[in-house]
């Protein structure tokens, strides 16, 4: 419900501003005021695009990893079957889905939606690990490499959701080894929304459908090559066949 309300509000404001400026222009609005309204509309569009692009990418990577690891898929679906007693999965059900969250965290560790996070700027000159960072330098944090660092993770290239079941590590920025949304004041502003609707969508896909690849394809052969766009995406889109559960 929270997700639907947020999306509806964004769309409503976007349409209202468009009508306000272009369909029913007011002669009393000066050019500077109109420009500020246009900027607001562009900002809203960026919020919608950034939120939807990274979220769909995270869901696609999670589905790909679960298909390549059928034991994890079965365990996640068994958890859903035991915890969900109604026809519709609700946000209030999410805290009980421990293994589903572990699967999603492990997928985001290996495939962070924003591999270099948001650009930062050095306010003052400083030294980090012996390197001098000049003032006003643009700083990019390689979250992709951090999530695969063998100094922080055992078997870093393996998909093992169980590692998060025995750990209090989360993605809110308090654990520097795992920062798919960044950390501190410059963390991703869409984190509160993403942490609600991404697990909700993934849970719905797993709970109501059985998934398979086109005939003759082995899940182990899924191409996991990535490409960098506005988010970290699969180079070859994931093609699956859904079957409604009885």
């Amino acid at each position: 419900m929270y997700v639907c309300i947020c999306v509806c509000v964004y769309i409503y404001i976007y349409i209202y501003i468009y009508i306000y400026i272009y369909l029913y222009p007011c002669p009393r609005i000066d050019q500077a005021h109109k420009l500020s309204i246009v900027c607001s509309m562009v900002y809203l569009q960026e919020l919608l695009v950034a939120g939807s692009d990274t979220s769909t990418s995270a869901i696609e990577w999670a589905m790909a990893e679960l298909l390549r690891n059928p034991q994890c898929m079965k365990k996640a679906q068994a958890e859903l079957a035991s915890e969900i007693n109604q026809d519709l999965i609700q946000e209030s059900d999410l805290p009980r889905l421990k293994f589903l969250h572990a699967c999603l965290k492990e997928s985001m560790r290996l495939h962070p939606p924003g591999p270099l996070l948001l650009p930062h700027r050095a306010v003052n000159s400083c030294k980090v690990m012996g390197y001098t960072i000049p003032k006003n330098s643009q700083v990019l944090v390689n979250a992709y490499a951090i999530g695969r660092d063998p100094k922080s993770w055992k078997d870093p290239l393996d998909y093992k959701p169980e590692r998060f079941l025995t750990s209090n590590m989360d993605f809110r920025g308090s654990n520097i080894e795992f920062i798919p949304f960044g950390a501190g004041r410059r963390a991703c502003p869409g984190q509160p929304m993403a942490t609600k609707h991404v697990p909700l969508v993934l849970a719905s896909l797993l709970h109501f459908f059985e998934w398979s690849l086109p005939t003759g394809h082995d899940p182990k052969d899924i191409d996991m090559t990535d490409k960098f766009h506005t988010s970290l995406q699969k180079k070859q889109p994931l093609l699956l066949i859904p079957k409604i559960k009885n």
Side-chain angles (χ1 to χ4, degrees):
M1 182 62 68
Y2 171 82
V3 176
C4 294
I5 291 173
C6 289
V7 173
C8 289
V9 168
Y10 283 141
I11 294 175
Y12 173 80
I13 295 175
Y14 186 90
I15 294 174
Y16 175 80
I17 293 175
Y18 178 82
I19 295 174
Y20 182 63
I21 295 178
Y22 296 105
L23 300 186
Y24 299 101
C26 179
R28 291 177 295 176
I29 299 179
D30 57 25
Q31 189 63 29
H33 187 197
K34 181 178 288 189
L35 181 61
S36 66
I37 296 175
V38 172
C39 289
S40 299
M41 187 166 64
V42 172
Y43 292 150
L44 285 170
Q45 182 178 2
E46 289 181 351
L47 283 172
L48 285 171
V49 172
S52 60
D53 185 45
T54 51
S55 297
T56 54
S57 176
I59 294 169
E60 184 179 30
W61 281 115
M63 289 293 294
E65 288 289 2
L66 287 170
L67 280 164
R68 295 179 73 246
N69 297 271
Q71 72 282 2
C72 294
M73 172 79 83
K74 291 179 180 178
K75 193 171 180 178
Q77 290 177 325
E79 179 184 62
L80 285 162
S82 64
E83 295 292 342
I84 306 301
N85 301 316
Q86 66 274 358
D87 294 334
L88 183 65
I89 301 177
Q90 301 177 356
E91 289 180 20
S92 58
D93 299 320
L94 295 180
R96 302 197 305 272
L97 305 176
K98 305 297 185 183
F99 189 74
L100 179 81
H101 280 89
C103 291
L104 188 56
K105 287 179 181 179
E106 180 70 346
S107 175
M108 295 180 74
R109 178 187 71 82
L110 290 168
H111 316 283
L116 299 179
L117 304 182
L118 296 174
H120 292 64
R121 181 175 65 89
V123 179
N124 297 303
S125 297
C126 60
K127 279 195 173 184
V128 179
M129 300 177 67
Y131 294 92
T132 300
I133 310 298
K135 182 179 179 180
N136 293 327
S137 297
Q138 186 180 77
V139 180
L140 299 174
V141 179
N142 194 341
Y144 183 92
I146 292 174
R148 296 168 178 244
D149 188 355
K151 295 180 181 179
S152 302
W153 305 94
K154 184 179 179 181
D155 301 323
L157 300 183
D158 294 341
Y159 184 79
K160 294 182 177 181
E162 292 79 7
R163 72 175 86 233
F164 286 100
L165 294 176
T166 57
S167 169
N168 294 324
M169 188 177 297
D170 61 24
F171 38 63
R172 303 184 188 280
S174 56
N175 303 104
I176 200 63
E177 310 96 315
F178 183 56
I179 49 172
F181 292 101
R185 292 180 298 171
R186 298 297 180 267
C188 175
Q191 176 192 313
M193 183 175 177
T195 52
K196 288 181 174 64
H197 79 262
V198 171
L200 189 62
V201 172
L202 182 61
S204 299
L205 292 175
L206 296 181
H207 187 53
F208 297 111
F209 299 93
E210 294 287 354
W211 297 91
S212 61
L213 293 170
T215 305
H217 289 75
D218 187 344
K220 292 294 183 182
D221 295 333
I222 294 178
D223 187 355
M224 300 297 283
T225 306
D226 51 39
K227 67 174 182 179
F228 180 71
H229 191 49
T230 52
S231 62
L232 189 70
Q233 300 177 347
K234 287 183 84 286
K235 186 175 182 180
Q236 297 294 331
L238 187 62
L239 179 61
L240 300 177
I241 300 174
K243 181 182 178 182
I244 298 177
K245 291 183 178 179
N246 297 325

